[in-house]
Amino acid sequence: MAVPPTSPRRVDLIKVRAALPPPSQEMVDAYERHLRSERGLSPHTIRAYVGDIVSLLGHVHGFDVIGTGESRPRQGCELDLAAIRAWLAAQRAAGTGRTTLARRSAAARTFTAWAHRRGHLAADPGARLVAPRPQRKLPAVLRQDQADDLMQASQSGATERNAVAMRDHAILELLYATGIRVSELCGLDIDDVHMDLRVVRVIGKGDKERTVPFGLPAQRAVQDWLTDGRPELATETSPPALLIGVRGGRLQPGSVRQIVHDALKAVPGAPDLGPHGLRHTAATHLLEGGADLRSVQELLGHATLATTQLYTHVTVERLRAVHDQAHPRS
């Protein structure tokens, strides 16, 4: 009987980065500055990309970046195609999923192309790397009746004029109405919301600005929050943030995630989703309602249409389920 492999332990990439040889540390530092100042990526994306590169360079120099407990640091190792493939193979052997491997392959290719342009590498080994195809899983979304139940349950709490309940109702209405990311929601200032036009100005990935419309229910929820809820929580030191916490500071994405999870517990049969699940839900319902793919791409702020096309598969799956259930010759 085969013995299942032991799960790899979590690796502290901060320690790996500090232990890299000075030339590699300097290259990582320069790449991080490039991602921040020249590409304008979000802190979360920069953290993920840099972590992937530290893991890659750590593997090249013999550090344990997989969590197996085996570490043999060595100097003078070359970052070439064989090294990148060995890094990816070790992660796959440790159970890393195809989607993560595809992302890390892309991170390696982007890094080696940059390093070659800047003169850190004599050649670009990532240019010949064939990435594994990611396994696209259909995102879980709410049915339209479940989304209605969620908003009604949230609204019933807000009618008691409790400041936190009004804020939470505004959060849910905005997330579902606009499909914006949780980081974009938390980054909104009061001046970014134009109540008369019912649009919100959003700064998305890569500092790209877009304007997203919202409907009457979201308008009412946000207006109630601004008129009766926010003044109760605001302090003299509160920022101009649209959404603030109980101590008056800008609301953080982690708090919004918890709010969404808790709110969905009141909806029988609803999947346990976070803010991104409401983003998926908004996109799916837009397409089911007849919106064209290009418009949904613009609303969501997707860089490519291929990302938005994922939602067409969700709607097709639903249509197939309805057909199988209702058609006499299904």
Side-chain angles (χ1 to χ4, degrees), residues 13 19 42 65 76 97 102 115 122 132 137-138 170 187 193 199 205 228 238 240 260 280 294:
L13 291 177
S42 71
V65 296
K137 293 184 179 179
L138 298 182
V193 184
V199 296
K205 291 184 176 180
D228 299 328
S238 291
V260 175
H280 291 319
R294 187 70 69 179

Side-chain angles (χ1 to χ4, degrees), residues 162-213:
N162 175 272
V164 172
M166 284 189 284
R167 181 202 64 191
D168 294 353
H169 180 51
I171 287 172
L172 294 170
E173 286 283 7
L174 272 178
L175 285 173
Y176 178 52
T178 62
I180 60 177
R181 302 175 179 92
V182 63
S183 59
E184 296 169 345
L185 176 76
C186 293
L188 291 176
D189 287 339
I190 296 174
D191 291 343
D192 293 326
V193 184
H194 302 279
M195 301 299 293
D196 294 339
L197 298 175
R198 296 209 307 271
V199 296
V200 61
R201 185 179 67 94
V202 176
I203 305 298
K205 291 184 176 180
D207 285 335
K208 294 180 180 178
E209 180 180 322
R210 70 185 190 279
T211 300
V212 185

Side-chain angles (χ1 to χ4, degrees), residues 12-306:
D12 189 343
L13 291 177
I14 296 177
K15 292 182 179 178
V16 174
R17 180 174 180 174
L20 290 174
S24 292
Q25 288 188 34
E26 292 169 5
M27 188 160 52
V28 172
D29 292 343
Y31 186 59
E32 186 173 16
R33 289 193 297 271
H34 161 73
L35 296 176
R36 182 182 299 108
S37 60
E38 297 180 33
R39 294 190 57 186
L41 300 180
S42 71
H44 175 77
T45 303
I46 293 173
R47 198 160 46 244
Y49 281 11
V50 171
D52 289 340
I53 300 313
V54 169
S55 176
L56 170 60
L57 293 176
H59 179 81
V60 170
H61 290 292
F63 292 95
D64 174 26
V65 296
I66 309 300
T68 60
E70 299 179 2
S71 183
R72 298 186 181 88
R74 52 186 182 269
Q75 301 290 328
C77 300
E78 185 177 357
L79 176 58
D80 53 17
L81 182 59
I84 300 175
R85 286 174 173 168
W87 172 62
L88 293 170
Q91 292 179 76
R92 179 160 187 170
T96 303
R98 288 177 60 185
T99 300
T100 302
L101 286 174
R103 189 205 78 202
R104 290 175 178 169
S105 297
R109 289 198 304 273
T110 302
F111 171 72
T112 58
W114 168 86
H116 177 54
R117 289 196 307 269
R118 295 296 178 87
H120 296 290
L121 295 176
D124 179 9
R128 293 182 291 136
L129 180 66
V130 178
R133 299 183 67 178
Q135 187 175 4
R136 303 300 296 271
K137 293 184 179 179
L138 298 182
V141 296
L142 300 176
R143 301 190 308 267
Q144 292 188 23
D145 62 302
Q146 291 174 331
D148 290 339
D149 290 344
L150 175 65
M151 300 307 156
Q152 289 176 10
S154 174
Q155 185 178 20
S156 65
T159 54
E160 299 178 2
R161 315 315 288 175
N162 175 272
V164 172
M166 284 189 284
R167 181 202 64 191
D168 294 353
H169 180 51
I171 287 172
L172 294 170
E173 286 283 7
L174 272 178
L175 285 173
Y176 178 52
T178 62
I180 60 177
R181 302 175 179 92
V182 63
S183 59
E184 296 169 345
L185 176 76
C186 293
L188 291 176
D189 287 339
I190 296 174
D191 291 343
D192 293 326
V193 184
H194 302 279
M195 301 299 293
D196 294 339
L197 298 175
R198 296 209 307 271
V199 296
V200 61
R201 185 179 67 94
V202 176
I203 305 298
K205 291 184 176 180
D207 285 335
K208 294 180 180 178
E209 180 180 322
R210 70 185 190 279
T211 300
V212 185
F214 55 85
L216 284 170
Q219 181 191 40
R220 289 192 290 266
V222 173
Q223 189 62 66
D224 286 347
W225 156 245
L226 290 175
T227 303
D228 299 328
R230 192 181 186 281
E232 290 190 25
L233 302 183
T235 66
E236 293 181 357
T237 59
S238 291
L242 174 66
L243 301 169
I244 57 176
V246 294
R247 293 187 177 90
R250 186 181 293 272
L251 199 64
Q252 297 301 307
S255 299
V256 176
R257 292 188 183 95
Q258 191 59 54
I259 289 167
V260 175
H261 284 300
D262 291 343
L264 279 168
K265 292 177 183 177
V267 181
D272 182 21
L273 305 177
H276 215 70
L278 291 185
R279 176 172 164 87
H280 291 319
T281 298
T284 302
H285 292 178
L286 281 168
L287 289 168
E288 289 178 342
D292 65 275
L293 203 59
R294 187 70 69 179
S295 296
V296 175
Q297 178 193 3
E298 291 293 327
L299 290 171
L300 297 181
H302 285 158
T304 64
L305 196 61

